């Protein structure tokens, strides 16, 4: 296995538990339109752009919207999503994440954000993480959504590490696939059954031993 010289973190569902807020906001939108979708279907929305998420939801509900209605629904969903983040602060960083970030800083391993979200920067600001990342690549910087590897390829370039020497932390199927396509080591955060395409899966960062990371960055 290639030595790991750089790390890329997904945001929603990896650093902070915002995946549940995306779900609640999309669910409300669907319910307002008169239908519902399941948590299993929601797995298909994780890591997926805002536009593509709404397209998928409308397909599930067999519903179509005019261009203006589509834009308006996306804006309402985002306002609703942001309302859940009002009081977010560093206490909302998921358990175990800071331990990994501190380890990478001690070992001088550069790390980047690779998120599909256009809300990534305000979230990193609220959680006091924005100055720790060596590079931030988010939904404002990419034209192709995960599983296209664009977001991770740009992140690797920005931290100056070859793709094959990068490790990606991801909670979504699309994100794990994107990391794999980029030739990076994929570490899934979530359920093994869902993220079975990942090289490694942990249920949370709390489960990740520093020794595991030490081996990857030194061998
Ligand atoms: P926004 P990630 C993704 O973030 C989320 O997983 C996905 O549910 C969301 O639709 C997407 O960002 C776009 O987010 O509406 O905030 O721009 O997991 O790639 O960090
Ligand atoms: Mg995610």
């Amino acid at each position: 296995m290639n030595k790991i010289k750089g790390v890329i973190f997904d945001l929603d569902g990896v650093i902070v538990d915002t995946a549940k807020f995306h779900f609640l906001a999309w669910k409300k939108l669907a319910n307002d339109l008169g239908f519902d979708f399941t948590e299993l279907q929601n797995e298909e929305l994780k890591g997926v752009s805002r536009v593509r998420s709404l397209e998928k939801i409308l397909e599930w509900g067999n519903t179509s919207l005019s261009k203006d209605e589509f834009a308006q629904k996306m804006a309402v969903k985002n306002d609703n999503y942001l309302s859940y983040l009002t009081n977010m602060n560093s206490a909302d960083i998921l358990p175990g994440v800071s331990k990994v970030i501190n380890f990478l800083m001690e070992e001088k391993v550069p790390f980047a954000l690779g998120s599909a979200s256009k809300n990534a920067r305000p979230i990193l600001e609220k959680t006091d993480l924005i100055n720790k990342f060596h590079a931030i690549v988010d939904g404002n910087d990419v034209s192709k959504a995960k599983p296209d590897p664009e977001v991770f390829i740009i992140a690797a370039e920005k931290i100056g590490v070859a793709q094959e020497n990068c490790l990606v932390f991801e909670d979504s199927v699309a994100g794990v696939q994107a990391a794999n396509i980029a030739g990076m080591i994929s570490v899934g955060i979530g359920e093994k059954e869902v993220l079975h395409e990942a090289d490694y899966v942990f249920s949370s960062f709390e489960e990740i031993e520093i020794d595991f990371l030490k081996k990857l960055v030194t061998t």
Side-chain angles (χ1 to χ4, degrees):
M1 192 173 290
N2 296 328
K3 183 171 167 170
I4 295 306
K5 298 180 182 171
V7 169
I8 304 170
F9 291 81
D10 174 49
L11 178 68
D12 294 318
V14 165
I15 293 177
V16 281
D17 198 9
T18 40
K20 68 181 180 207
F21 299 140
H22 279 295
F23 176 52
L24 290 175
W26 283 131
K27 201 174 164 64
K28 179 168 173 13
L29 178 145
N31 292 169
D32 289 348
L33 287 169
F35 61 93
D36 205 1
F37 62 91
T38 64
E39 274 198 61
L40 193 63
Q41 285 175 300
N42 185 60
E43 289 298 329
E44 293 180 40
L45 303 182
K46 289 186 179 172
V48 173
S49 70
R50 205 180 300 172
V51 172
R52 187 64 199 121
S53 297
L54 182 51
E55 285 170 354
K56 273 173 166 290
I57 291 166
L58 294 176
E59 280 166 29
W60 295 335
N62 233 333
T63 303
S64 59
L65 297 177
S66 70
K67 221 175 153 199
D68 285 354
E69 285 168 334
F70 191 99
Q72 192 246 345
K73 287 287 177 198
M74 280 212 309
V76 170
K77 181 270 171 178
N78 198 50
D79 286 348
N80 194 5
Y81 169 69
L82 291 176
S83 73
Y84 291 114
L85 309 184
T86 318
N87 299 320
M88 175 169 263
N89 58 47
S90 58
D92 292 299
I93 299 171
L94 282 166
V97 171
S98 297
K99 164 192 80 182
V100 172
I101 285 181
N102 290 340
F103 166 76
L104 295 174
M105 289 170 79
E106 277 163 26
E107 296 289 320
K108 300 201 167 24
V109 176
F111 55 94
L113 190 86
S115 166
S117 175
K118 292 186 173 174
N119 296 304
R121 282 174 187 272
I123 291 175
L124 290 182
E125 269 163 19
K126 280 171 183 285
T127 51
D128 279 339
L129 288 173
I130 193 128
N131 295 323
K132 294 197 171 161
F133 280 81
H134 299 85
I136 294 167
V137 186
D138 65 19
N140 300 295
D141 305 309
V142 294
S143 55
K144 296 176 211 139
K146 301 169 188 175
D148 190 286
E150 184 186 23
V151 64
F152 296 146
I153 291 174
I154 299 175
E157 274 169 12
K158 283 199 171 185
I159 56 173
V161 176
Q163 286 169 222
E164 62 270 26
N165 295 115
C166 286
L167 176 150
V168 174
F169 290 114
E170 252 296 344
D171 70 317
S172 71
V173 175
V176 165
Q177 289 169 342
N180 291 346
I181 293 168
M184 301 175 177
I185 298 293
S186 52
V187 179
I189 305 294
E191 291 178 28
K192 279 204 170 72
E193 299 72 38
V194 177
L195 303 174
H196 57 86
E197 291 171 68
D199 294 307
Y200 302 93
V201 182
F202 297 95
S203 63
S204 78
F205 273 83
E206 281 182 299
E207 246 194 43
I208 302 179
E209 303 276 351
I210 289 302
D211 272 359
F212 163 79
L213 293 175
K214 213 164 217 161
K215 273 188 200 127
L216 293 175
V217 301
T218 51
T219 49

